[in-house]
């Protein structure tokens, strides 16, 4: 998902039985302060995830990988509300109550999966992935795991379009890969969250997707994917394309995602985005730019037409005071800026902004 980028997973030495264990985590403790709206918000919250797994070879050509990931955000972010994020919107199609000007918590269970593979030749791979909760072959890695965005204290503003399918359930994926190309297909249940974000929506398989990923160099990946989520009136078609480039000192992701709704129950929605992270030994600078049409239902004030594009910018600086071979800890700040907000001056003021000051702790195999 992050070719050539900084790995978040710390691995142990293989045990006598042949198993290698690994773990990873990322946790931000953040204070946010808003400027612009008449009723400004100042809150403390934590975004986080914790993952672990084990890997073993099966003979000389096969392997089995078991992994899981959880988030404590249902307990560290205000229940039923989310944390303050001006101009964020999460629609009711994603489950739970819709949120406006707030970003909801991630679900408690992010992944519980088994991945099995076999190599017919040294340069080819056949594999099968099964997950009670997991990520289908659709889109690129979620923002919380991408090397270009893991250090941001806030989610992308295109989250509702780009990311709500990453914690699907009853996922079955089969694929074939070479050094240059990977072809995958998935069947899964388009799970929705609950208001407390602690339950698993384990319904019938109702969705499918396919993805092609090109890796012309070890540091570069280009993926194109298509998915059909849900059934009947609730069906949504998603088309995604991304370019990801990474080295230990730089990571870049360019994203395009389009959602189309069956029976035209909502207009189609398109989001564009680009992320860049530059890292030195202790200093990191990050930038993110996104452009999207405000979705139907946001905001309650109709002054901002759905045909207008809104552009969101976020910039961040981070200083790491701990930079060991396994763990990193630092403090930083990121600031938002939005265009087209003058159409909503009665709601957000002249120049709405949010400032996120944070402490960040995470693993690093750098």
């Amino acid at each position: 998902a992050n070719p050539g980028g900084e790995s978040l997973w710390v691995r142990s030495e293989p045990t006598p039985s042949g198993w290698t264990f690994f773990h990873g985590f990322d946790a931000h403790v953040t204070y946010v302060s808003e400027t612009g709206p008449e009723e400004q918000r100042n809150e403390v919250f934590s975004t986080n995830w914790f993952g672990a797994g084990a890997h073993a070879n099966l003979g000389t050509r096969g392997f089995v990988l078991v992994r899981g990931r959880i988030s404590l955000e249902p307990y560290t972010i205000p229940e039923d509300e989310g944390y303050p994020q001006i101009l964020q919107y999460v629609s009711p199609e994603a489950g739970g109550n819709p949120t406006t000007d707030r970003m909801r918590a991630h679900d408690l269970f992010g992944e519980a999966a088994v991945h099995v593979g076999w190599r017919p030749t040294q340069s080819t791979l056949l594999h099968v992935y099964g997950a009670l909760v997991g990520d289908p072959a659709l889109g690129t890695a979620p923002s919380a795991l991408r090397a270009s965005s893991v250090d941001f204290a806030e989610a992308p503003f295109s989250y509702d379009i780009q990311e709500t399918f990453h914690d699907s359930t009853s996922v079955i994926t089969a694929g074939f890969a070479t050094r240059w190309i990977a072809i995958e297909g998935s069947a899964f249940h388009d799970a929705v969250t609950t208001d407390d974000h602690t339950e698993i929506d384990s319904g019938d398989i109702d969705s499918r997707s396919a993805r092609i990923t090109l890796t012309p160099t070890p540091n570069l990946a280009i993926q194109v994917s298509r998915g059909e989520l849900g059934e009947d009136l609730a069906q949504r078609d998603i088309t995604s394309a991304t370019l990801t480039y990474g080295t230990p000192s730089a990571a870049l992701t360019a994203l395009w995602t389009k959602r189309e709704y069956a029976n035209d129950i909502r207009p189609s929605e398109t989001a564009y985005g680009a992320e860049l992270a530059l890292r030195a030994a202790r200093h990191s600078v990050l930038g993110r730019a996104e452009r999207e049409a405000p979705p139907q239902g946001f905001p309650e004030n109709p002054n901002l037409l759905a045909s207008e594009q809104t552009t969101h910018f976020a910039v961040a600086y981070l200083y790491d005071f701990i930079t060991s071979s396994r763990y990193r800890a630092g403090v930083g700040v990121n600031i938002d800026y939005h265009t087209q907000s003058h159409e909503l001056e009665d709601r957000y003021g002249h120049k709405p902004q949010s400032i996120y000051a944070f402490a960040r702790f995470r693993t690093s195999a750098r």
Side-chain angles (χ1 to χ4, degrees):
N2 301 303
E6 186 175 16
S7 173
L8 302 179
W9 301 100
V10 175
R11 296 179 180 271
S12 68
E13 294 295 325
T15 66
S17 61
W19 286 92
T20 300
F21 297 92
F22 59 89
H23 71 279
F25 68 84
D26 178 89
H28 285 68
V29 178
T30 303
Y31 173 79
V32 57
S33 179
E34 296 178 344
T35 61
E38 184 175 345
E39 296 183 7
Q40 298 182 15
R41 296 171 297 184
N42 302 280
E43 296 185 15
V44 177
F45 64 93
S46 172
T47 54
N48 53 77
W49 62 265
F50 306 84
H55 171 276
N57 291 325
L58 301 176
T60 59
R61 294 192 176 187
F63 70 86
V64 59
L65 175 66
V66 181
R67 64 192 187 202
R69 189 177 72 254
I70 65 170
S71 173
L72 299 182
E73 291 181 14
Y75 310 106
T76 60
I77 291 176
E79 184 178 351
D80 297 336
E81 294 182 0
Y83 61 81
Q85 193 177 29
I86 294 174
L87 290 171
Q88 179 65 271
Y89 178 74
V90 182
S91 66
E93 284 79 12
N97 292 324
T99 62
T100 302
D101 295 331
R102 285 184 176 269
M103 175 60 201
R104 73 179 190 187
H106 286 92
D107 284 351
L108 175 63
F109 301 101
E111 185 176 38
V114 177
H115 194 183
V116 179
W118 178 70
R119 296 188 178 278
T121 69
Q122 192 172 18
S123 60
T124 59
L125 171 68
L126 293 170
H127 63 100
V128 177
Y129 170 91
L132 177 64
V133 181
D135 199 356
L138 183 59
T140 190
S143 60
L145 302 180
R146 289 198 298 265
S148 58
S149 65
V150 64
D151 289 326
F152 275 108
E154 59 178 324
F157 288 89
S158 303
Y159 171 88
D160 191 62
I161 300 175
Q162 294 177 340
E163 301 210 12
T164 55
F165 49 81
H166 282 305
D167 51 359
S168 298
T169 60
S170 303
V171 181
I172 302 172
T173 299
F176 170 76
T178 71
R179 292 175 180 174
W180 313 106
I181 188 171
I183 301 173
E184 304 162 283
S186 294
F188 55 98
H189 173 60
D190 179 30
V192 296
T193 190
T194 60
D195 287 335
D196 63 6
H197 307 290
T198 60
E199 300 178 8
I200 297 177
D201 177 13
S202 55
D204 295 333
I205 290 177
D206 57 10
S207 306
R208 60 204 61 83
S209 66
R211 178 170 62 194
I212 297 176
T213 305
L214 304 176
T215 51
T217 72
N219 293 342
L220 177 66
I222 302 168
Q223 77 82 26
V224 178
S225 54
R226 172 81 173 180
E228 297 178 357
L229 277 60
E231 295 179 332
D232 303 326
L233 292 176
Q235 181 177 321
R236 305 181 299 284
D237 296 338
I238 294 181
T239 307
S240 171
T242 61
L243 181 149
T244 305
Y245 177 81
T247 68
S249 59
L252 168 68
T253 304
L255 309 93
W256 173 85
T257 309
K258 184 176 183 179
R259 281 191 180 236
E260 300 170 279
Y261 293 83
N263 302 309
D264 296 324
I265 60 173
R266 280 174 59 181
S268 62
E269 300 166 351
T270 303
Y272 307 83
E275 299 168 344
L276 176 64
L278 301 175
R279 296 185 174 94
R282 294 185 179 273
H283 305 273
S284 298
V285 178
L286 299 91
R288 175 190 284 156
E290 303 171 81
R291 188 168 179 82
E292 62 176 339
Q296 183 180 4
F298 173 79
E300 295 86 347
N301 185 330
N303 290 341
L304 187 60
L305 302 177
S307 60
E308 291 192 46
Q309 295 284 323
T310 301
T311 305
H312 310 278
F313 297 96
V315 294
Y317 169 76
L318 173 68
Y319 175 78
D320 279 309
F321 52 83
I322 296 177
T323 57
S324 73
S325 60
R326 289 175 173 257
Y327 304 102
R328 301 179 73 86
V331 293
V333 61
N334 70 255
I335 302 172
D336 292 339
Y337 177 78
H338 314 277
T339 68
Q340 261 67 39
S341 60
H342 58 275
E343 298 287 347
L344 297 169
E345 188 167 342
D346 291 344
R347 180 188 179 103
Y348 295 111
H350 180 54
K351 290 186 177 180
Q353 292 181 329
S354 299
I355 300 175
Y356 298 82
F358 60 87
R360 190 270 286 123
F361 310 89
R362 69 171 171 88
T363 47
S364 173
R366 184 173 178 174

